[in-house]
Amino acid sequence: MDPFLQPAPDLPDPWAGDAPLQEHLAASLPPEVLGAVRPSLEAMGRTALDLHALSLADRLNEPRHIPYDPWGRRVDRIEVTDLWKRAERIAAEQGLVALPYEKPHGAFSRIHQAALLHLFHPSSDVYSCPLAMTDGAARTLARSGNRALAERALPHLTSRDPAAFWTSGQWMTESAGGSDVGLSSTVARRGEDGRWRLFGRKWFTSAAASPMALTLARPEGNPEGGKGLAMFYVETRDAEGNLNGFTVNRLKDKLGTRKLPTAELDLDGMVGEPVGELADGVKAMASMLTVTRTWNAVCAASTLRRGLALLGDYALKRMAFGAPLAEKPLFRDTLAGVEAEAQAAFQLAFHAAACLGLEEAGAFDPALLRVLTPLAKLCTGKQAVAGVSELIEGFGGAGYVEDTGLPVLLRDAQVFSIWEGTTDVLSLEAMKALHAAGFGLFQAHVEGLLAGLPDAMAPMAGRVRSALGRAGGWWSQAEEAGARRFAFTLARSLELALMLRQAAWSAARRPEADALAAPGRFADHGVDLIRSVREAGR
Ligand code: MFK
């Protein structure tokens, strides 16, 4: 080979090459559950390798909106890529949505699902997005008390048969803004036939190609704000494939997630069914958001792992200044910093998934889950953007060149901090949730994680306690401007506690390894981000 040509990175097997994932599952699953799920994870690792190759080969393909058929009939078909079609089959067959409803391993099924997703997402061209919403819709319908709708949709949403499997959209965002959902102007009118029809414009609807969606509209006469909205179930087409009273205006021209057909829709009499009460729509959507935000966290962490795997392989082969990159002390130091953040994000994402499973089993306080979920989403989203940016840089110019397939990692990572609530909005969400739960509940949860750590870890446990102590002080006189620093302090305290717990488990089994390397590095990046009001004003 020409010595001046750089070798392309080869993706190691995502399951076999992911030591943090394997160690975490060994620590958090009973041996018999781990034994039972391992073959599916090995298989998903191999599938992810195949999909990765397909994704590189299919790099330039994007979904297309076909507004009319050749004879002028409005059809609004959305053609997705071949990878997406394959990903749909894999997702259905592997039960990526079905698992937490089948519950073969009780609450652990959410951990199993998260592990499969962790392997699948970075190779899926963000097919994980419709799956996240499908899981969210399944949970929402299952909890809604609307038996008819649950019986109609749930068998499709949780099917393992690709022919029967449906994905669901989550149509919330309108042009008034994605965060302040209460401003939604879509109206629901009840006709003389007793059916509800929706009129309005949905501005950012991912999964526009899904057979169904949960959406918000304001029944005529209802008050303004989120309380005046109601949640509706809509199917996008009838049995003949005719559109249900809506048009697709165009697909969004987005920075990233370009394989995902995100559309602008006009609803012009779309027939929908109220899922529950004809009010409190934002509240009704909340159980969907709990799921999609957890998926967001897992996917953010898995994107970091993918970037690390690719750069790690490249660094073994790339020669510079007389040695492989992997042997350069400064490169290793830079990579260790990203590795620490990636492990932290991974621990927090999987903790959120585990707690979701426990809450669904009635063994975890829903008020605490409501605090943990936005924290996990906001913190891992930012860690993914910053970490992937660093990893792309590690490839030098190659990371900046489109046909290496590397820049897409960064573009796609940017979405993690935006959709499902921006970092600021989620910081405020976490504060609202903490008002309901109480700071003490969160603190006790973190203390529970620190209990039983070996003495050698006491100084680092002390850093968690000290950060939480300062956060508690701030909380007693909380004000909006500090909400983000507060939320990150809570999230990073939780991450450090989770890393220490994992490190203690690993140290007991592999005393020769430096189990505190990653937690130590992470702690040095900063856990306590609280600034006093006086400092913040400067
Ligand atoms: C790969 C991974 C994939 C992910 C796929 C995603 C693709 C989908 C793309 C999208 O759809 S992105 C759009 C997502 N949009 C958002 O996430 C909205 C972000 N904005 C917020 O979260 C705002 O803070 C919020 C809309 C909730 C503010 O609205 P309001 O009207 O001020 O709500 P409020 O008063 O905070 O809450 C209303 C009620 O819901 C309250 O109950 P009460 O009326 O009884 O007081 C809350 O307690 C309740 N509630 C809110 N959040 C809850 C909740 N209850 C339980 N759990 C929660 N999480």
Side-chain angles (χ1 to χ4, degrees), residues 333-370:
D333 188 83
T334 303
L335 204 63
V338 183
E339 176 65 41
E341 293 294 324
Q343 286 189 25
F346 168 81
Q347 288 291 338
L348 183 52
F350 271 65
H351 186 61
C355 294
L356 175 62
L358 289 170
E359 189 257 4
E360 288 169 343
F364 196 85
D365 188 337
L368 182 56
L369 184 69
R370 198 179 152 191

Side-chain angles (χ1 to χ4, degrees), residues 129 170 173 179 227 283 286 293 370 420-421 429 432:
C129 170
Q170 167 188 308
T173 305
S179 300
K227 284 195 182 304
K283 192 172 182 170
R293 287 171 180 167
R370 198 179 152 191
E420 299 305 304
E429 280 283 297
K432 282 189 222 168

Side-chain angles (χ1 to χ4, degrees), residues 117 121 124 126-133 139 169-173 177-183 204-207 216 225-227 229 257 260 262 280-300 366 369-371 373-374 377 415-416 418-422 424-426 428-430 432-433 436:
L117 176 63
H121 163 76
S124 76
V126 199
Y127 189 72
S128 40
C129 170
L131 294 177
M133 295 186 285
R139 173 177 148 109
Q170 167 188 308
W171 299 357
M172 288 176 72
T173 305
S179 300
D180 194 354
V181 176
L183 292 177
F204 222 103
T205 57
S206 296
L216 295 176
K227 284 195 182 304
L229 294 168
T257 66
L260 169 66
T262 304
D280 276 331
V282 169
K283 192 172 182 170
M285 273 283 185
S287 78
M288 192 159 187
L289 292 173
T290 300
V291 170
T292 51
R293 287 171 180 167
T294 308
W295 277 65
N296 202 90
V298 173
C299 294
L369 184 69
R370 198 179 152 191
V371 179
T373 309
K377 193 279 186 188
V415 83
F416 292 129
I418 297 169
W419 66 11
E420 299 305 304
T422 62
D424 281 357
V425 168
L426 286 182
L428 298 173
E429 280 283 297
K432 282 189 222 168

Side-chain angles (χ1 to χ4, degrees), residues 397-447:
Y400 203 65
V401 171
E402 287 292 350
D403 55 4
T404 60
L406 295 167
V408 69
L409 277 175
L410 181 56
R411 281 203 304 273
D412 286 359
Q414 184 68 49
V415 83
F416 292 129
S417 60
I418 297 169
W419 66 11
E420 299 305 304
T422 62
T423 311
D424 281 357
V425 168
L426 286 182
S427 298
L428 298 173
E429 280 283 297
M431 280 177 57
K432 282 189 222 168
L434 207 56
H435 272 298
F439 188 82
L441 187 61
F442 179 81
Q443 202 165 18
H445 179 65
V446 180
E447 270 301 333

